[in-house]
Coordinates of all heavy atoms in Angstrom, one line a residue:
M1223 N -5.0 5.7 -17.9 CA -5.2 5.5 -16.6 C -4.8 6.8 -15.7 O -4.0 7.5 -16.0 CB -4.4 4.4 -16.1 CG -4.5 4.0 -14.6 SD -3.6 2.6 -14.0 CE -3.9 2.8 -12.3
K1224 N -5.6 6.9 -14.6 CA -5.3 8.1 -13.8 C -4.0 8.0 -13.1 O -3.4 6.9 -12.9 CB -6.5 8.3 -12.7 CG -6.6 7.2 -11.8 CD -7.7 7.4 -10.8 CE -7.8 6.3 -9.8 NZ -8.8 6.4 -8.9
L1225 N -3.5 9.1 -12.6 CA -2.3 9.1 -11.8 C -2.4 8.2 -10.6 O -3.3 8.1 -9.8 CB -2.0 10.5 -11.3 CG -0.6 10.7 -10.6 CD1 0.5 10.6 -11.6 CD2 -0.6 12.1 -10.0
I1226 N -1.3 7.3 -10.4 CA -1.2 6.4 -9.2 C -0.8 7.3 -8.0 O 0.1 8.0 -8.1 CB -0.3 5.3 -9.5 CG1 -0.8 4.4 -10.6 CG2 -0.1 4.4 -8.2 CD1 0.2 3.5 -11.2
T1227 N -1.6 7.2 -6.9 CA -1.2 8.0 -5.7 C -0.8 7.1 -4.5 O -1.0 5.8 -4.6 CB -2.4 8.8 -5.2 OG1 -3.5 7.9 -4.9 CG2 -2.9 9.7 -6.3
K1228 N -0.1 7.6 -3.6 CA 0.4 6.9 -2.4 C -0.6 6.3 -1.5 O -0.4 5.3 -0.9 CB 1.4 7.7 -1.6 CG 0.6 8.8 -0.9 CD 1.6 9.7 -0.1 CE 1.0 10.8 0.6 NZ 1.8 11.7 1.3
D1229 N -1.9 6.8 -1.6 CA -3.0 6.3 -0.8 C -3.8 5.2 -1.5 O -4.6 4.6 -1.0 CB -3.8 7.3 -0.3 CG -4.5 8.2 -1.4 OD1 -4.0 8.2 -2.5 OD2 -5.6 8.7 -1.1
M1230 N -3.4 4.8 -2.8 CA -4.1 3.8 -3.6 C -3.8 2.4 -2.9 O -2.6 2.2 -2.5 CB -3.6 3.8 -5.0 CG -4.3 2.9 -5.9 SD -3.8 3.1 -7.6 CE -4.9 4.3 -8.1
L1231 N -4.8 1.6 -2.8 CA -4.5 0.3 -2.3 C -4.0 -0.7 -3.3 O -4.2 -0.4 -4.5 CB -5.9 -0.4 -1.9 CG -6.8 0.4 -0.8 CD1 -8.0 -0.4 -0.6 CD2 -5.9 0.4 0.4
I1232 N -3.0 -1.5 -2.9 CA -2.3 -2.3 -3.8 C -3.3 -3.2 -4.6 O -3.1 -3.4 -5.8 CB -1.3 -3.2 -3.1 CG1 -0.2 -2.3 -2.5 CG2 -0.7 -4.3 -4.0 CD1 0.8 -3.0 -1.6
G1233 N -4.2 -3.7 -4.0 CA -5.3 -4.5 -4.7 C -6.0 -3.8 -5.8 O -6.1 -4.4 -6.9
D1234 N -6.3 -2.5 -5.6 CA -7.0 -1.7 -6.6 C -6.0 -1.4 -7.8 O -6.3 -1.5 -8.9 CB -7.5 -0.4 -6.0 CG -8.7 -0.6 -5.1 OD1 -9.2 -1.7 -5.1 OD2 -8.9 0.3 -4.2
L1235 N -4.7 -1.2 -7.4 CA -3.7 -0.8 -8.4 C -3.6 -2.0 -9.3 O -3.5 -1.9 -10.5 CB -2.4 -0.4 -7.7 CG -1.2 -0.4 -8.6 CD1 -1.4 0.8 -9.6 CD2 0.1 -0.2 -7.8
I1236 N -3.4 -3.2 -8.8 CA -3.2 -4.5 -9.6 C -4.3 -4.7 -10.5 O -4.2 -5.1 -11.6 CB -2.8 -5.7 -8.7 CG1 -1.7 -5.4 -7.8 CG2 -2.8 -6.9 -9.5 CD1 -0.4 -5.1 -8.6
K1237 N -5.6 -4.5 -10.0 CA -6.8 -4.6 -10.8 C -6.7 -3.7 -12.0 O -7.1 -4.0 -13.0 CB -8.0 -4.4 -10.0 CG -8.3 -5.5 -9.0 CD -9.6 -5.3 -8.2 CE -9.7 -6.3 -7.2 NZ -10.7 -5.8 -6.1
Q1238 N -6.4 -2.3 -11.8 CA -6.4 -1.3 -12.8 C -5.2 -1.4 -13.8 O -5.3 -1.1 -14.9 CB -6.5 0.0 -12.2 CG -7.7 0.3 -11.4 CD -7.8 1.6 -10.8 OE1 -7.0 2.5 -11.1 NE2 -8.5 1.8 -9.7
K1239 N -4.0 -1.9 -13.2 CA -2.8 -1.8 -14.0 C -2.0 -3.2 -13.6 O -1.1 -3.0 -12.8 CB -2.1 -0.6 -13.5 CG -0.8 -0.3 -14.4 CD -0.2 1.0 -14.1 CE 1.1 1.2 -14.8 NZ 1.7 2.5 -14.6
P1240 N -2.4 -4.3 -14.1 CA -1.8 -5.5 -13.7 C -0.2 -5.5 -13.9 O 0.5 -6.2 -13.1 CB -2.3 -6.6 -14.7 CG -3.7 -5.9 -15.1 CD -3.4 -4.5 -15.1
E1241 N 0.3 -4.8 -14.8 CA 1.8 -4.7 -15.0 C 2.5 -4.0 -13.8 O 3.7 -4.2 -13.7 CB 2.1 -4.0 -16.3 CG 1.7 -2.6 -16.4 CD 0.3 -2.3 -16.9 OE1 -0.5 -3.2 -16.9 OE2 0.1 -1.1 -17.3
A1242 N 1.8 -3.4 -13.0 CA 2.3 -2.8 -11.8 C 2.9 -3.8 -10.9 O 3.8 -3.5 -10.1 CB 1.3 -2.0 -11.0
A1243 N 2.3 -5.0 -10.9 CA 2.9 -6.1 -10.0 C 4.4 -6.3 -10.2 O 5.1 -6.5 -9.2 CB 2.1 -7.4 -10.3
G1244 N 4.8 -6.3 -11.5 CA 6.2 -6.5 -11.7 C 7.0 -5.4 -11.2 O 8.2 -5.6 -10.7
I1245 N 6.5 -4.2 -11.2 CA 7.3 -3.0 -10.8 C 7.4 -3.1 -9.2 O 8.5 -3.0 -8.6 CB 6.6 -1.7 -11.1 CG1 6.7 -1.5 -12.6 CG2 7.3 -0.5 -10.3 CD1 5.8 -0.4 -13.1
L1246 N 6.3 -3.5 -8.5 CA 6.2 -3.7 -7.1 C 7.3 -4.8 -6.7 O 8.0 -4.6 -5.7 CB 4.9 -4.0 -6.6 CG 3.8 -2.9 -6.7 CD1 2.5 -3.4 -6.4 CD2 4.2 -1.7 -5.9
M1247 N 7.3 -5.9 -7.4 CA 8.2 -7.0 -7.1 C 9.7 -6.6 -7.3 O 10.5 -7.0 -6.5 CB 7.8 -8.2 -7.9 CG 6.6 -8.9 -7.4 SD 6.3 -10.6 -8.0 CE 5.3 -10.2 -9.3
R1248 N 9.9 -5.8 -8.3 CA 11.3 -5.3 -8.5 C 11.7 -4.4 -7.4 O 12.9 -4.4 -7.1 CB 11.3 -4.5 -9.9 CG 12.6 -4.1 -10.3 CD 12.7 -3.4 -11.7 NE 12.3 -2.0 -11.5 CZ 11.4 -1.3 -12.2 NH1 10.8 -1.9 -13.2 NH2 11.2 0.0 -12.0
F1249 N 10.9 -3.7 -6.8 CA 11.2 -2.9 -5.5 C 11.3 -3.6 -4.3 O 11.6 -3.2 -3.2 CB 10.2 -1.8 -5.4 CG 10.5 -0.6 -6.2 CD1 10.3 -0.5 -7.6 CD2 11.1 0.5 -5.6 CE1 10.6 0.7 -8.3 CE2 11.5 1.7 -6.3 CZ 11.1 1.7 -7.7
G1250 N 10.9 -5.0 -4.3 CA 11.1 -5.8 -3.2 C 9.8 -6.2 -2.5 O 9.8 -6.7 -1.4
M1251 N 8.6 -5.9 -3.1 CA 7.3 -6.3 -2.5 C 6.9 -7.7 -3.2 O 6.2 -7.7 -4.2 CB 6.3 -5.3 -2.9 CG 6.6 -3.9 -2.2 SD 5.2 -2.8 -2.4 CE 5.9 -1.3 -1.8
G1252 N 7.4 -8.8 -2.7 CA 7.2 -10.0 -3.3 C 5.8 -10.6 -3.1 O 5.5 -11.6 -3.8
C1253 N 5.1 -10.1 -2.1 CA 3.8 -10.8 -1.9 C 2.6 -9.8 -2.3 O 1.7 -9.6 -1.5 CB 3.7 -11.1 -0.4 SG 3.8 -9.7 0.7
V1254 N 2.7 -9.3 -3.5 CA 1.6 -8.4 -3.9 C 0.3 -9.1 -4.0 O -0.7 -8.3 -4.1 CB 2.0 -7.7 -5.2 CG1 3.2 -6.7 -5.1 CG2 2.3 -8.7 -6.3
G1255 N 0.3 -10.3 -4.1 CA -1.0 -11.0 -4.2 C -1.5 -11.6 -2.8 O -2.6 -12.2 -2.8
C1256 N -0.8 -11.4 -1.8 CA -1.3 -12.0 -0.5 C -2.4 -11.1 0.1 O -2.6 -10.0 -0.2 CB -0.1 -12.1 0.5 SG 0.5 -10.5 1.1
P1257 N -3.3 -11.7 0.9 CA -4.5 -11.0 1.3 C -4.3 -9.8 2.1 O -4.9 -8.7 1.8 CB -5.2 -12.0 2.3 CG -4.6 -13.3 1.8 CD -3.3 -13.0 1.2
S1258 N -3.2 -9.6 2.8 CA -3.0 -8.3 3.6 C -2.5 -7.3 2.6 O -2.8 -6.0 2.8 CB -1.9 -8.6 4.7 OG -0.7 -8.9 4.1
A1259 N -1.7 -7.5 1.6 CA -1.3 -6.6 0.6 C -2.5 -5.9 -0.1 O -2.4 -4.9 -0.5 CB -0.3 -7.1 -0.3
Q1260 N -3.5 -6.7 -0.4 CA -4.7 -6.2 -1.1 C -5.4 -5.0 -0.4 O -6.0 -4.2 -1.1 CB -5.7 -7.4 -1.3 CG -5.2 -8.6 -2.0 CD -4.7 -8.2 -3.3 OE1 -5.4 -7.6 -4.2 NE2 -3.4 -8.5 -3.7
M1261 N -5.2 -5.0 0.9 CA -5.9 -3.9 1.6 C -4.9 -2.8 2.2 O -5.2 -2.1 3.1 CB -6.7 -4.4 2.8 CG -7.9 -5.3 2.3 SD -8.9 -4.5 1.2 CE -9.7 -3.3 2.1
E1262 N -3.7 -2.9 1.7 CA -2.6 -2.0 2.2 C -2.3 -0.9 1.1 O -2.4 -1.2 -0.1 CB -1.3 -2.8 2.3 CG -0.2 -2.2 3.0 CD 0.9 -3.2 3.4 OE1 1.3 -4.0 2.5 OE2 1.3 -3.1 4.6
S1263 N -2.1 0.3 1.6 CA -1.9 1.4 0.6 C -0.3 1.3 0.1 O 0.4 0.6 0.8 CB -2.1 2.8 1.2 OG -1.1 3.0 2.2
L1264 N -0.1 2.0 -0.9 CA 1.3 1.9 -1.4 C 2.2 2.6 -0.4 O 3.4 2.1 -0.1 CB 1.4 2.7 -2.7 CG 0.8 1.9 -3.9 CD1 0.5 2.9 -5.1 CD2 1.6 0.8 -4.3
E1265 N 1.8 3.6 0.3 CA 2.6 4.3 1.3 C 2.9 3.3 2.4 O 3.9 3.2 3.0 CB 1.8 5.5 1.8 CG 2.6 6.3 2.8 CD 1.9 7.7 3.1 OE1 0.8 7.7 3.1 OE2 2.7 8.6 3.4
E1266 N 1.8 2.6 2.9 CA 1.9 1.7 4.0 C 2.9 0.6 3.6 O 3.9 0.3 4.4 CB 0.7 1.0 4.4 CG -0.3 2.0 5.0 CD -1.8 1.4 5.2 OE1 -2.2 0.6 4.3 OE2 -2.4 1.9 6.0
A1267 N 2.7 0.1 2.4 CA 3.7 -1.1 2.0 C 5.1 -0.6 1.9 O 6.1 -1.3 2.3 CB 3.2 -1.5 0.7
A1268 N 5.3 0.6 1.3 CA 6.6 1.1 1.3 C 7.3 1.3 2.6 O 8.5 0.9 2.8 CB 6.7 2.4 0.5
G1269 N 6.5 1.7 3.6 CA 7.0 1.8 4.9 C 7.4 0.5 5.5 O 8.4 0.4 6.2
V1270 N 6.6 -0.5 5.4 CA 6.8 -1.8 5.9 C 8.1 -2.4 5.3 O 8.8 -3.0 6.0 CB 5.6 -2.8 5.6 CG1 6.0 -4.2 5.9 CG2 4.5 -2.3 6.5
H1271 N 8.3 -2.2 4.0 CA 9.4 -2.7 3.3 C 10.7 -1.8 3.3 O 11.7 -2.2 2.6 CB 9.0 -3.1 1.8 CG 8.1 -4.2 1.7 ND1 8.4 -5.6 1.9 CD2 6.7 -4.2 1.7 CE1 7.4 -6.3 1.7 NE2 6.3 -5.5 1.7
G1272 N 10.6 -0.6 3.9 CA 11.7 0.2 4.0 C 12.1 0.8 2.6 O 13.3 1.0 2.3
L1273 N 11.1 1.1 1.8 CA 11.4 1.5 0.5 C 11.2 3.1 0.3 O 10.4 3.7 1.1 CB 10.4 0.9 -0.6 CG 10.4 -0.6 -0.6 CD1 9.3 -1.1 -1.5 CD2 11.7 -1.2 -1.0
N1274 N 11.8 3.7 -0.6 CA 11.7 5.1 -0.9 C 10.4 5.2 -1.6 O 10.3 4.8 -2.8 CB 12.8 5.6 -1.7 CG 12.9 7.0 -1.9 OD1 11.8 7.5 -2.5 ND2 13.9 7.8 -1.6
L1275 N 9.4 5.9 -1.1 CA 8.1 6.1 -1.6 C 8.1 6.9 -2.9 O 7.5 6.5 -3.8 CB 7.1 6.7 -0.6 CG 5.7 6.9 -1.1 CD1 5.0 5.6 -1.5 CD2 4.9 7.6 0.0
D1276 N 9.0 7.9 -2.9 CA 9.1 8.8 -4.1 C 9.6 8.0 -5.3 O 9.0 8.2 -6.4 CB 10.0 10.0 -3.8 CG 9.3 10.9 -2.8 OD1 8.2 11.0 -2.7 OD2 10.1 11.7 -2.2
D1277 N 10.6 7.2 -5.1 CA 11.2 6.3 -6.3 C 10.1 5.4 -6.7 O 9.9 5.1 -7.9 CB 12.4 5.6 -5.8 CG 13.6 6.5 -5.6 OD1 13.5 7.7 -6.0 OD2 14.5 6.0 -4.8
L1278 N 9.4 4.8 -5.8 CA 8.3 3.8 -6.1 C 7.3 4.4 -7.0 O 6.8 3.9 -8.0 CB 7.8 3.1 -4.9 CG 6.6 2.2 -5.1 CD1 7.0 0.9 -5.9 CD2 6.0 1.7 -3.7
M1279 N 6.8 5.6 -6.5 CA 5.7 6.3 -7.2 C 6.1 6.8 -8.5 O 5.4 6.6 -9.5 CB 5.3 7.5 -6.3 CG 4.7 7.2 -4.9 SD 3.3 5.9 -4.9 CE 2.2 6.7 -6.1
K1280 N 7.4 7.2 -8.7 CA 7.9 7.6 -10.0 C 7.9 6.4 -10.9 O 7.4 6.5 -12.1 CB 9.3 8.2 -9.9 CG 9.9 8.6 -11.1 CD 11.2 9.2 -11.0 CE 11.8 9.6 -12.3 NZ 13.2 9.9 -12.2
A1281 N 8.3 5.2 -10.5 CA 8.4 4.1 -11.3 C 7.0 3.6 -11.8 O 6.7 3.3 -12.9 CB 9.1 2.9 -10.6
L1282 N 6.0 3.7 -10.8 CA 4.7 3.2 -11.2 C 4.0 4.2 -12.1 O 3.2 3.7 -13.0 CB 3.8 3.1 -9.9 CG 4.2 2.0 -8.9 CD1 3.5 2.1 -7.6 CD2 3.8 0.6 -9.6
N1283 N 4.2 5.4 -12.0 CA 3.6 6.5 -12.9 C 4.3 6.6 -14.2 O 3.7 7.3 -15.1 CB 3.4 7.8 -12.1 CG 2.3 7.8 -11.2 OD1 1.1 7.6 -11.6 ND2 2.5 8.0 -9.9
E1284 N 5.5 6.1 -14.4 CA 6.1 6.2 -15.7 C 5.5 5.2 -16.7 O 5.6 5.5 -17.9 CB 7.6 5.8 -15.5 CG 8.4 7.0 -14.9 CD 9.9 6.7 -14.8 OE1 10.2 5.5 -14.9 OE2 10.7 7.6 -14.4
Q1285 N 4.9 4.2 -16.3 CA 4.4 3.2 -17.2 C 3.1 3.7 -17.9 O 2.2 4.2 -17.4 CB 4.1 1.9 -16.4 CG 5.3 1.3 -15.9 CD 6.2 0.6 -16.9 OE1 5.7 -0.1 -17.7 NE2 7.5 0.8 -16.9

């Protein structure tokens, strides 16, 4: 799989890498399946949830 980037939409990420849902939930994004999350970028979601984007990206790309 290609490198996950901060501008990737959560919906696209979950389709390409279903196991990413668990990582997102571990970081506090409990509604990864809700309609608004599907059209939200990882950067936008991290901002809304007050998460460290660098830590999130590192965890997503380690898998």
Side-chain angles (χ1 to χ4, degrees):
M1223 181 176 172
K1224 65 180 182 176
L1225 185 70
I1226 297 167
T1227 61
K1228 65 182 180 179
D1229 60 335
M1230 183 176 271
L1231 298 180
I1232 292 174
D1234 293 342
L1235 171 61
I1236 301 300
K1237 286 177 192 165
Q1238 293 177 25
K1239 187 175 177 178
E1241 64 273 20
I1245 297 168
L1246 294 173
M1247 287 194 264
R1248 190 177 78 224
F1249 272 80
M1251 293 185 194
C1253 62
V1254 294
C1256 69
S1258 63
Q1260 300 301 302
M1261 298 305 296
E1262 190 171 49
S1263 72
L1264 289 166
E1265 183 174 33
E1266 292 167 333
V1270 167
H1271 292 278
L1273 303 174
N1274 182 303
L1275 181 60
D1276 292 333
D1277 290 345
L1278 176 61
M1279 298 309 302
K1280 182 179 176 188
L1282 289 168
N1283 280 301
E1284 284 178 346
Q1285 296 285 316

